[in-house]
Amino acid sequence: MPELPEVETIASRLRQVLPGKTVASATIMKEKSFIGDVKHLYNQEIISIGRRAKIITIQLANNYYLLIHLKMTGQLLYVDSQRRIGGGHPTADWVAALPNKHTRIVLTLSDKTNVFFNDQRIFGWIKLVSASDVSNEFSSYGPDINSVEASFSYFQKKAKARSVSIKQFLLDGSVLAGIGNIYACDALNLAQVSPFRSVNDLDTDELQRVLHASKSVIQRGIDTGGASIENYVGADGLSGTYQHHVLVYKREGQDCYNCGTTIRKEKIGGRGTYFCPNCQK
DNA sequence: GTACTTGTTAAACT
DNA sequence: TAGTTTAACAAGTA
Protein backbone atom coordinates (compact mmCIF):
# COMPACT_ATOMS: atom_id res chain seq x y z
CA MET A 1 0.00 0.00 0.00
CA PRO A 2 1.46 3.31 -0.96
CA GLU A 3 1.98 5.46 2.12
CA LEU A 4 4.10 8.61 2.37
CA PRO A 5 7.49 6.90 1.70
CA GLU A 6 6.17 5.02 -1.33
CA VAL A 7 4.50 8.12 -2.80
CA GLU A 8 7.61 10.20 -2.09
CA THR A 9 9.76 7.61 -3.88
CA ILE A 10 7.57 7.83 -6.98
CA ALA A 11 7.45 11.64 -6.85
CA SER A 12 11.25 11.81 -6.58
CA ARG A 13 11.71 9.71 -9.69
CA LEU A 14 9.09 11.65 -11.69
CA ARG A 15 10.83 14.87 -10.64
CA GLN A 16 13.95 13.65 -12.45
CA VAL A 17 12.21 12.96 -15.75
CA LEU A 18 8.97 14.93 -16.21
CA PRO A 19 9.62 18.66 -15.76
CA GLY A 20 10.06 20.42 -19.09
CA LYS A 21 8.10 17.81 -21.02
CA THR A 22 4.70 18.60 -22.56
CA VAL A 23 1.54 16.51 -22.27
CA ALA A 24 0.65 15.54 -25.85
CA SER A 25 -2.34 13.33 -25.11
CA ALA A 26 -4.21 11.50 -22.38
CA THR A 27 -5.98 8.19 -22.86
CA ILE A 28 -8.62 7.57 -20.24
CA MET A 29 -9.38 3.86 -20.23
CA LYS A 30 -11.50 4.03 -17.07
CA GLU A 31 -13.78 7.04 -16.63
CA LYS A 32 -13.96 6.60 -12.86
CA SER A 33 -10.20 7.03 -12.58
CA PHE A 34 -10.11 10.58 -14.01
CA ILE A 35 -11.81 13.60 -12.46
CA GLY A 36 -11.87 17.01 -14.12
CA ASP A 37 -11.82 18.49 -17.60
CA VAL A 38 -9.10 16.82 -19.61
CA LYS A 39 -8.91 19.70 -22.09
CA HIS A 40 -6.85 21.74 -19.61
CA LEU A 41 -4.20 19.06 -19.87
CA TYR A 42 -3.35 19.12 -23.53
CA ASN A 43 -0.17 20.79 -24.76
CA GLN A 44 0.72 21.91 -21.25
CA GLU A 45 4.30 21.85 -20.10
CA ILE A 46 5.00 20.10 -16.81
CA ILE A 47 6.55 22.66 -14.48
CA SER A 48 7.17 20.77 -11.25
CA ILE A 49 6.41 17.62 -9.25
CA GLY A 50 5.42 17.65 -5.59
CA ARG A 51 3.85 15.52 -2.89
CA ARG A 52 1.44 16.29 -0.05
CA ALA A 53 0.14 13.53 2.23
CA LYS A 54 -0.18 10.52 -0.09
CA ILE A 55 -0.96 12.66 -3.14
CA ILE A 56 1.43 13.41 -6.00
CA THR A 57 1.05 16.89 -7.48
CA ILE A 58 2.07 17.80 -11.02
CA GLN A 59 2.06 21.51 -11.78
CA LEU A 60 1.27 22.50 -15.37
CA ALA A 61 2.18 25.66 -17.23
CA ASN A 62 -1.43 26.92 -17.28
CA ASN A 63 -1.40 26.68 -13.45
CA TYR A 64 -3.64 23.65 -13.37
CA TYR A 65 -2.49 20.72 -11.26
CA LEU A 66 -2.74 16.99 -11.72
CA LEU A 67 -3.35 15.39 -8.34
CA ILE A 68 -2.75 11.65 -8.18
CA HIS A 69 -3.89 9.38 -5.36
CA LEU A 70 -2.84 5.74 -5.62
CA LYS A 71 -5.06 4.59 -2.74
CA MET A 72 -4.35 0.89 -2.19
CA THR A 73 -3.34 -0.66 -5.50
CA GLY A 74 -2.33 2.26 -7.69
CA GLN A 75 0.93 2.36 -9.61
CA LEU A 76 2.49 5.17 -11.61
CA LEU A 77 4.98 3.96 -14.19
CA TYR A 78 7.26 6.00 -16.38
CA VAL A 79 8.43 4.35 -19.60
CA ASP A 80 10.87 6.01 -21.96
CA SER A 81 10.53 6.12 -25.72
CA GLN A 82 12.84 3.19 -26.42
CA ARG A 83 11.21 1.05 -23.73
CA ARG A 84 14.64 -0.39 -23.17
CA ILE A 85 15.37 -2.67 -20.27
CA GLY A 86 17.99 -1.05 -18.16
CA GLY A 87 18.61 1.62 -20.75
CA GLY A 88 20.35 4.17 -18.59
CA HIS A 89 18.01 3.78 -15.63
CA PRO A 90 17.11 0.33 -14.27
CA THR A 91 13.56 -0.63 -15.21
CA ALA A 92 11.44 -3.73 -14.57
CA ASP A 93 10.98 -5.73 -17.79
CA TRP A 94 7.17 -5.94 -17.50
CA VAL A 95 6.78 -2.19 -17.97
CA ALA A 96 7.77 -2.70 -21.63
CA ALA A 97 4.44 -4.54 -22.07
CA LEU A 98 2.31 -1.65 -20.80
CA PRO A 99 -0.54 -0.91 -21.02
CA ASN A 100 -1.91 -4.03 -19.35
CA LYS A 101 -5.34 -5.01 -18.02
CA HIS A 102 -4.97 -2.79 -14.96
CA THR A 103 -3.95 0.34 -16.87
CA ARG A 104 -6.58 3.05 -16.33
CA ILE A 105 -4.96 6.19 -17.75
CA VAL A 106 -2.03 6.81 -20.09
CA LEU A 107 -0.33 10.18 -20.43
CA THR A 108 1.76 10.50 -23.58
CA LEU A 109 4.36 13.23 -23.53
CA SER A 110 5.78 15.26 -26.37
CA ASP A 111 8.94 13.12 -26.55
CA LYS A 112 6.85 9.92 -26.88
CA THR A 113 7.53 8.83 -23.32
CA ASN A 114 4.53 7.60 -21.32
CA VAL A 115 3.20 7.71 -17.79
CA PHE A 116 0.92 4.74 -17.06
CA PHE A 117 -1.55 4.86 -14.19
CA ASN A 118 -2.32 1.27 -13.20
CA ASP A 119 -4.88 0.51 -10.52
CA GLN A 120 -6.17 -2.97 -9.91
CA ARG A 121 -9.04 -2.06 -7.57
CA ILE A 122 -9.94 1.30 -9.11
CA PHE A 123 -9.97 3.21 -5.80
CA GLY A 124 -7.24 5.59 -6.90
CA TRP A 125 -7.74 8.65 -9.11
CA ILE A 126 -6.15 11.42 -11.08
CA LYS A 127 -7.77 14.83 -10.63
CA LEU A 128 -7.15 17.89 -12.76
CA VAL A 129 -7.84 21.03 -10.74
CA SER A 130 -7.07 24.74 -10.96
CA ALA A 131 -4.47 26.30 -8.68
CA SER A 132 -7.17 27.88 -6.54
CA ASP A 133 -8.76 24.48 -5.92
CA VAL A 134 -5.55 22.78 -4.81
CA SER A 135 -5.69 24.19 -1.28
CA ASN A 136 -9.28 22.94 -0.98
CA GLU A 137 -8.14 19.46 -1.86
CA PHE A 138 -5.69 19.49 1.04
CA SER A 139 -7.78 21.43 3.56
CA SER A 140 -8.71 18.43 5.68
CA TYR A 141 -5.17 17.11 6.07
CA GLY A 142 -2.93 17.64 9.06
CA PRO A 143 0.78 18.32 8.51
CA ASP A 144 2.91 15.64 6.84
CA ILE A 145 4.51 13.39 9.45
CA ASN A 146 7.98 14.17 8.07
CA SER A 147 7.51 17.95 8.20
CA VAL A 148 8.63 20.41 10.87
CA GLU A 149 4.97 21.39 11.33
CA ALA A 150 4.41 17.93 12.80
CA SER A 151 5.85 19.13 16.10
CA PHE A 152 5.44 17.58 19.51
CA SER A 153 3.39 20.49 20.83
CA TYR A 154 0.97 20.07 17.92
CA PHE A 155 0.84 16.30 18.38
CA GLN A 156 0.21 16.53 22.12
CA LYS A 157 -2.49 19.17 21.71
CA LYS A 158 -4.37 16.99 19.22
CA ALA A 159 -3.93 13.89 21.38
CA LYS A 160 -5.47 15.51 24.44
CA ALA A 161 -8.71 16.16 22.58
CA ARG A 162 -9.25 12.58 21.49
CA SER A 163 -10.14 9.28 23.09
CA VAL A 164 -9.51 6.85 20.23
CA SER A 165 -6.68 4.33 20.33
CA ILE A 166 -3.20 5.53 19.44
CA LYS A 167 -3.30 3.21 16.44
CA GLN A 168 -6.41 4.88 15.01
CA PHE A 169 -5.00 8.29 15.91
CA LEU A 170 -1.86 7.68 13.87
CA LEU A 171 -3.95 6.64 10.88
CA ASP A 172 -6.12 9.78 11.08
CA GLY A 173 -4.98 11.98 8.20
CA SER A 174 -6.56 15.07 9.74
CA VAL A 175 -4.04 14.79 12.60
CA LEU A 176 -0.91 13.75 10.69
CA ALA A 177 -0.77 12.97 6.99
CA GLY A 178 1.11 10.19 5.28
CA ILE A 179 1.01 7.37 7.82
CA GLY A 180 -0.70 4.16 6.75
CA ASN A 181 -1.08 0.75 8.33
CA ILE A 182 2.44 -0.53 7.74
CA TYR A 183 4.26 2.41 9.31
CA ALA A 184 1.68 2.89 12.09
CA CYS A 185 2.21 -0.69 13.29
CA ASP A 186 5.99 -0.40 13.06
CA ALA A 187 6.09 3.01 14.74
CA LEU A 188 4.20 1.72 17.79
CA ASN A 189 6.51 -1.29 18.06
CA LEU A 190 9.56 0.97 17.88
CA ALA A 191 8.02 3.29 20.48
CA GLN A 192 7.10 0.28 22.65
CA VAL A 193 3.55 1.55 23.06
CA SER A 194 0.51 -0.73 22.80
CA PRO A 195 -1.76 0.08 19.83
CA PHE A 196 -4.78 -0.38 22.12
CA ARG A 197 -3.93 2.53 24.44
CA SER A 198 -6.16 5.60 24.28
CA VAL A 199 -4.26 8.68 23.12
CA ASN A 200 -5.50 10.83 26.00
CA ASP A 201 -4.16 8.20 28.38
CA LEU A 202 -0.57 8.39 27.09
CA ASP A 203 1.86 10.46 29.13
CA THR A 204 4.27 13.02 27.68
CA ASP A 205 7.15 10.59 27.38
CA GLU A 206 5.02 7.99 25.60
CA LEU A 207 3.64 10.55 23.15
CA GLN A 208 7.14 11.77 22.43
CA ARG A 209 8.29 8.23 21.75
CA VAL A 210 5.36 7.63 19.39
CA LEU A 211 5.94 10.83 17.39
CA HIS A 212 9.69 10.27 17.21
CA ALA A 213 9.26 6.61 16.19
CA SER A 214 6.71 7.59 13.54
CA LYS A 215 9.10 10.07 11.96
CA SER A 216 11.88 7.49 12.23
CA VAL A 217 10.09 4.61 10.46
CA ILE A 218 8.75 6.96 7.76
CA GLN A 219 12.29 8.21 7.09
CA ARG A 220 13.55 4.64 6.93
CA GLY A 221 10.76 3.93 4.45
CA ILE A 222 11.88 6.82 2.27
CA ASP A 223 15.54 5.78 2.53
CA THR A 224 14.72 2.23 1.41
CA GLY A 225 12.49 3.22 -1.50
CA GLY A 226 9.25 2.13 0.18
CA ALA A 227 7.67 -1.17 1.17
CA SER A 228 6.76 -3.48 -1.71
CA ILE A 229 3.97 -5.35 0.01
CA GLU A 230 0.92 -6.03 -2.16
CA ASN A 231 1.15 -3.94 -5.33
CA TYR A 232 3.59 -1.16 -4.69
CA VAL A 233 6.44 -0.54 -7.13
CA GLY A 234 8.37 2.62 -7.94
CA ALA A 235 7.98 4.64 -11.13
CA ASP A 236 10.40 2.29 -12.91
CA GLY A 237 8.41 -0.80 -11.89
CA LEU A 238 11.01 -1.96 -9.38
CA SER A 239 10.37 -2.87 -5.75
CA GLY A 240 11.50 -0.95 -2.70
CA THR A 241 13.16 -2.78 0.18
CA TYR A 242 11.43 -1.59 3.37
CA GLN A 243 9.59 -4.93 3.51
CA HIS A 244 12.94 -6.43 4.52
CA HIS A 245 13.21 -3.97 7.40
CA VAL A 246 9.64 -4.29 8.71
CA LEU A 247 9.43 -4.55 12.50
CA VAL A 248 6.00 -6.13 12.98
CA TYR A 249 3.81 -5.58 9.91
CA LYS A 250 2.68 -8.92 8.43
CA ARG A 251 5.01 -10.71 10.88
CA GLU A 252 2.29 -12.45 12.86
CA GLY A 253 3.67 -15.59 14.55
CA GLN A 254 7.29 -14.47 14.20
CA ASP A 255 9.58 -13.20 16.95
CA CYS A 256 9.69 -9.56 18.03
CA TYR A 257 13.16 -8.22 17.17
CA ASN A 258 13.23 -6.32 20.45
CA CYS A 259 12.27 -9.02 22.97
CA GLY A 260 11.68 -12.28 21.09
CA THR A 261 8.01 -12.58 22.02
CA THR A 262 5.67 -13.86 19.29
CA ILE A 263 4.08 -11.05 17.25
CA ARG A 264 0.28 -11.03 17.34
CA LYS A 265 -2.36 -9.67 15.03
CA GLU A 266 -5.68 -8.20 16.12
CA LYS A 267 -8.19 -5.77 14.67
CA ILE A 268 -8.31 -2.20 15.85
CA GLY A 269 -10.86 0.10 14.26
CA GLY A 270 -11.54 -2.59 11.69
CA ARG A 271 -7.91 -2.70 10.53
CA GLY A 272 -5.37 -5.45 10.98
CA THR A 273 -2.87 -4.47 13.68
CA TYR A 274 0.42 -6.25 14.34
CA PHE A 275 2.13 -5.79 17.69
CA CYS A 276 4.30 -7.37 20.34
CA PRO A 277 2.16 -8.17 23.41
CA ASN A 278 5.22 -8.09 25.67
CA CYS A 279 7.28 -5.00 24.99
CA GLN A 280 4.50 -2.73 23.72
CA LYS A 281 2.94 -1.53 26.95
C1' DG B 1 -19.00 -19.54 -1.59
C1' DT B 2 -17.11 -16.88 2.42
C1' DA B 3 -14.06 -14.08 4.78
C1' DC B 4 -10.62 -10.86 4.43
C1' DT B 5 -7.53 -7.21 2.62
C1' DT B 6 -7.02 -1.40 2.75
C1' DG B 7 -7.15 4.62 2.15
C1' DT B 8 -10.47 7.54 2.38
C1' DT B 9 -14.90 9.45 2.84
C1' DA B 10 -19.71 9.66 3.67
C1' DA B 11 -23.29 8.34 6.49
C1' DA B 12 -24.88 6.68 10.80
C1' DC B 13 -24.62 6.83 15.45
C1' DT B 14 -23.71 8.47 20.25
C1' DT C 1 -22.09 19.98 17.60
C1' DA C 2 -18.48 17.02 17.35
C1' DG C 3 -16.16 12.79 18.14
C1' DT C 4 -16.53 7.95 16.95
C1' DT C 5 -17.99 3.93 14.44
C1' DT C 6 -19.42 1.62 10.43
C1' DA C 7 -20.26 0.94 5.65
C1' DA C 8 -18.97 1.50 1.13
C1' DC C 9 -15.95 1.27 -2.70
C1' DA C 10 -13.33 -2.95 -5.95
C1' DA C 11 -11.13 -6.97 -7.13
C1' DG C 12 -8.18 -10.14 -5.89
C1' DT C 13 -6.32 -13.87 -2.47
C1' DA C 14 -6.72 -17.55 1.13
Side-chain angles (χ1 to χ4, degrees):
Chain A
M1 295 63 62
E3 304 180 25
L4 188 152
E6 289 74 28
V7 178
E8 181 63 38
T9 299
I10 294 170
S12 297
R13 176 62 183 142
L14 296 182
R15 197 173 289 127
Q16 296 174 336
V17 293
L18 293 188
K21 292 181 165 67
T22 297
V23 182
S25 65
T27 305
I28 298 171
M29 303 163 85
K30 196 73 170 179
E31 288 296 326
K32 184 178 184 290
S33 302
F34 190 90
I35 301 156
D37 191 340
V38 73
K39 77 180 181 208
H40 299 301
L41 189 55
Y42 295 132
N43 299 315
Q44 292 303 315
E45 182 185 347
I46 293 170
I47 303 301
S48 65
I49 310 292
R51 180 204 53 77
R52 173 78 170 94
K54 298 169 186 169
I55 297 173
I56 291 168
T57 64
I58 299 178
Q59 181 190 15
L60 303 170
N62 58 356
N63 224 14
Y64 272 74
Y65 286 77
L66 276 175
L67 306 182
I68 303 169
H69 202 310
L70 302 173
K71 289 293 179 85
M72 297 183 301
T73 59
Q75 302 173 328
L76 213 49
L77 301 151
Y78 176 77
V79 183
D80 75 21
S81 52
Q82 283 84 34
R83 298 199 172 197
R84 285 180 309 204
I85 312 306
H89 189 88
T91 305
D93 53 6
W94 60 270
V95 302
L98 291 170
N100 62 29
K101 65 175 180 177
H102 296 309
T103 301
R104 310 306 179 191
I105 293 168
V106 184
L107 302 181
T108 300
L109 307 176
S110 46
D111 63 351
K112 305 301 180 189
T113 60
N114 290 295
V115 176
F116 295 91
F117 175 63
N118 278 18
D119 187 19
Q120 180 184 108
R121 297 186 199 173
I122 321 180
F123 280 5
W125 41 253
I126 296 182
K127 278 187 198 179
L128 183 58
V129 302
S130 64
S132 58
D133 287 336
V134 170
S135 57
N136 271 341
E137 292 288 330
F138 293 113
S139 61
S140 64
Y141 287 100
D144 282 0
I145 175 62
N146 63 341
S147 69
V148 291
E149 288 76 21
S151 65
F152 180 68
S153 59
Y154 168 84
F155 190 60
Q156 186 173 44
K157 182 183 161 197
K158 285 284 185 182
K160 280 181 177 172
R162 302 286 296 274
S163 62
V164 290
S165 70
I166 182 62
K167 170 71 189 311
Q168 290 166 290
F169 188 69
L170 285 180
L171 290 177
D172 186 341
S174 70
V175 178
L176 291 171
I179 307 173
N181 211 20
I182 298 171
Y183 297 98
C185 290
D186 273 15
L188 289 172
N189 180 257
L190 184 60
Q192 297 187 15
V193 170
S194 166
F196 295 95
R197 297 277 300 282
S198 293
V199 274
N200 56 13
D201 178 53
L202 297 178
D203 64 30
T204 298
D205 180 61
E206 289 168 329
L207 282 175
Q208 274 180 331
R209 272 153 45 201
V210 171
L211 181 64
H212 184 258
S214 298
K215 287 175 180 281
S216 177
V217 294
I218 286 287
Q219 188 57 50
R220 188 159 181 78
I222 292 172
D223 293 343
T224 56
S228 287
I229 299 170
E230 310 286 329
N231 291 255
Y232 168 75
V233 290
D236 44 30
L238 298 174
S239 298
T241 60
Y242 184 82
Q243 65 275 16
H244 303 311
H245 303 275
V246 152
L247 299 176
V248 291
Y249 188 78
K250 286 263 168 99
R251 292 193 63 242
E252 181 185 17
Q254 300 178 43
D255 296 346
C256 173
Y257 294 127
N258 180 54
C259 73
T261 302
T262 303
I263 303 293
R264 281 175 40 194
K265 178 190 181 185
E266 287 187 37
K267 280 204 168 183
I268 297 179
R271 298 302 184 211
T273 303
Y274 301 83
F275 64 100
C276 172
N278 179 56
C279 68
Q280 289 181 246
K281 302 295 186 187

